[in-house]
């Protein structure tokens, strides 16, 4: 039963990739970017504002770091995904997003000089080969001739941004609790996104866009986050993290069923190599047997 929490969270996040793709035909990327976090902040306000007032004095020293976290995790990652959806498939978005743990490994090594094992470097090589195969649509040489699709490049940059967000969130560990942290970052994201609205062709929300905004602002930003946190409480962070490997699969299946996207051989091959590389880089394969046994024993 406890496994349902992270499983449903990943399913909602996969559905949010589909929402991002669907929104490309309905809403300006700047519009859904700000409305998503505005909805999330408004829903959280009655629960979090009283607590924020009590801890107002503690907030000032953390404001700079919270701005950085909001810019990386809420603004850049999500905005780039909405812009990427205009020129790449939902399937590609899901597969490339699965690289976040591996990109975090690379950024830890490059920025914070964290030692990387030989197995992790092997994982990097395997995943990168999968990325090249995927982006080249089964013909890696075509990347030299045609370059990388703009949408694929944007979602890759967004994944790197979110990987850095995860690193800094763990290192800084703002002491406000999960929900208040989310509320603060969502509220700051609304402020940071205000200048972007000046670039929008229209900030209007058509009738068919209301459900997309609500799903992104409540379903993905709040409900999935709650389920994920409950999963960590019930199963622990290591067991819960394994479920993120299902994101590309769920996304591909939903994209095929709801958007009519065709899943090609290079999606399976490239995505499989990416996930294998992530598993090697994170040491998942060495722990998987013990974790599976622990799930069975539960």
């Amino acid at each position: 039963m406890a496994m349902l929490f992270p499983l449903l969270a990943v399913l909602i996040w996969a559905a949010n990739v589909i929402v991002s793709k669907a929104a490309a035909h309905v809403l300006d990327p700047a519009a859904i970017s700000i409305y998503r976090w505005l909805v999330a902040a408004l829903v959280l306000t009655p629960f979090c504002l009283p607590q924020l007032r009590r801890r107002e004095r503690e907030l000032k020293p953390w404001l700079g770091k919270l701005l950085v976290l909001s810019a990386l995790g809420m603004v850049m990652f999500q905005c780039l995904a909405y812009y990427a959806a205009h020129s790449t498939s939902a399937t590609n978005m899901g597969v490339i997003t699965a690289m976040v743990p591996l990109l975090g490994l690379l950024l830890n090594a490059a920025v914070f000089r964290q030692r990387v094992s030989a197995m992790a470097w092997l994982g990097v090589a395997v995943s990168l080969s999968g990325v090249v195969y995927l982006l080249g649509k089964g013909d890696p040489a075509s990347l030299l001739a045609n370059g990388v699709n703009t949408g694929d490049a944007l979602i890759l940059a967004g994944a790197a941004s979110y990987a850095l967000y995860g690193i800094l969130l763990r290192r800084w560990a703002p002491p406000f609790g999960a929900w208040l942290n989310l509320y603060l970052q969502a509220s700051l994201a609304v402020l940071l996104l205000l200048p972007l609205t000046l670039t929008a062709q229209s900030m209007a929300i058509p009738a068919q866009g209301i459900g997309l905004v609500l799903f992104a602002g409540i379903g993905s930003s709040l409900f999935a986050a709650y389920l994920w946190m409950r999963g960590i409480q019930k199963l622990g962070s290591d067991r819960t993290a394994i479920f993120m490997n299902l994101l590309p699969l769920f996304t591909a299946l939903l994209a095929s069923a709801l958007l009519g996207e065709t899943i090609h051989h290079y999606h399976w091959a490239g995505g499989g190599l990416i996930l294998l590389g992530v598993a090697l880089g994170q040491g998942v394969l060495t722990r998987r047997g013990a974790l599976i046994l622990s799930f069975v024993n539960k």
Side-chain angles (χ1 to χ4, degrees):
M1 185 64 178
M3 290 187 289
L4 286 178
F5 290 115
L7 190 65
L8 288 174
V10 174
L11 183 58
I12 292 172
W13 283 324
N16 192 59
V17 178
I18 308 304
V19 167
S20 299
K21 183 65 180 177
H25 305 291
V26 178
L27 293 157
D28 189 285
I32 190 171
S33 293
I34 193 169
Y35 290 144
R36 169 189 183 153
W37 294 116
L38 180 60
V39 168
L42 288 174
V43 171
L44 287 175
T45 292
F47 309 100
C48 294
L49 189 57
Q51 184 182 357
L52 178 60
R53 286 174 175 168
R54 290 195 299 270
R55 305 186 65 178
E56 188 175 354
R57 292 183 179 180
E58 300 175 52
L59 176 61
K60 188 175 181 179
W62 286 93
L63 191 57
K65 290 180 178 179
L66 288 169
L67 277 168
V68 172
L69 291 173
S70 180
L72 290 171
M74 277 61 179
V75 176
M76 289 184 64
F77 175 56
Q78 300 298 339
C79 276
L80 290 173
Y82 290 131
Y83 282 96
H86 284 258
S87 52
T88 191
S89 67
T91 303
N92 276 26
M93 291 171 68
V95 172
I96 294 172
T97 301
M99 288 190 65
V100 166
L102 201 64
L103 290 169
L105 187 76
L106 290 174
L107 287 170
N108 253 327
V111 178
F112 300 104
R113 305 296 186 223
Q114 183 170 306
R115 184 179 177 275
V116 179
S117 67
M119 184 62 73
W121 283 120
L122 175 62
V124 171
V126 171
S127 272
L128 288 179
S129 68
V131 170
V132 171
Y133 192 81
L134 173 69
L135 299 186
K137 296 182 178 180
D139 181 15
S142 68
L143 286 179
L144 297 175
N146 304 318
V148 178
N149 176 284
T150 301
D152 292 333
L154 288 174
I155 198 64
L156 186 59
S161 172
Y162 199 73
L164 182 57
Y165 168 81
I167 292 170
L168 294 178
L169 185 63
R170 287 192 297 272
R171 284 179 170 268
W172 291 342
F176 301 107
W179 286 115
L180 188 54
N181 272 325
L182 179 60
Y183 177 64
L184 289 167
Q185 291 173 49
S187 301
L188 289 171
V190 174
L191 297 176
L192 291 171
L193 286 164
L194 283 174
L196 187 65
T197 62
L198 300 176
T199 69
Q201 293 183 351
S202 173
M203 291 298 293
I205 305 177
Q208 62 268 41
I210 295 174
L212 301 177
V213 171
L214 290 177
F215 184 90
I218 299 175
S220 179
S221 302
L222 301 181
F223 189 53
Y226 168 77
L227 292 170
W228 191 255
M229 287 188 287
R230 289 286 290 161
I232 292 175
Q233 290 172 354
K234 294 283 187 179
L235 302 172
S237 58
D238 285 342
R239 291 178 181 176
T240 303
I242 290 174
F243 286 87
M244 282 303 295
N245 291 335
L246 294 171
L247 180 66
L249 176 61
F250 285 169
T251 304
L253 293 176
L254 289 172
S256 177
L258 301 177
L259 301 177
E261 290 187 4
T262 302
I263 305 176
H264 298 281
H265 73 279
Y266 54 80
H267 288 123
W268 294 114
L273 286 171
I274 289 172
L275 290 179
L276 176 60
V278 170
L280 291 169
Q282 296 294 97
V284 171
L285 294 182
T286 60
R287 303 192 304 265
R288 183 64 59 91
L291 289 173
I292 290 175
L293 286 175
S294 67
F295 276 134
V296 171
N297 291 332
K298 288 286 185 181

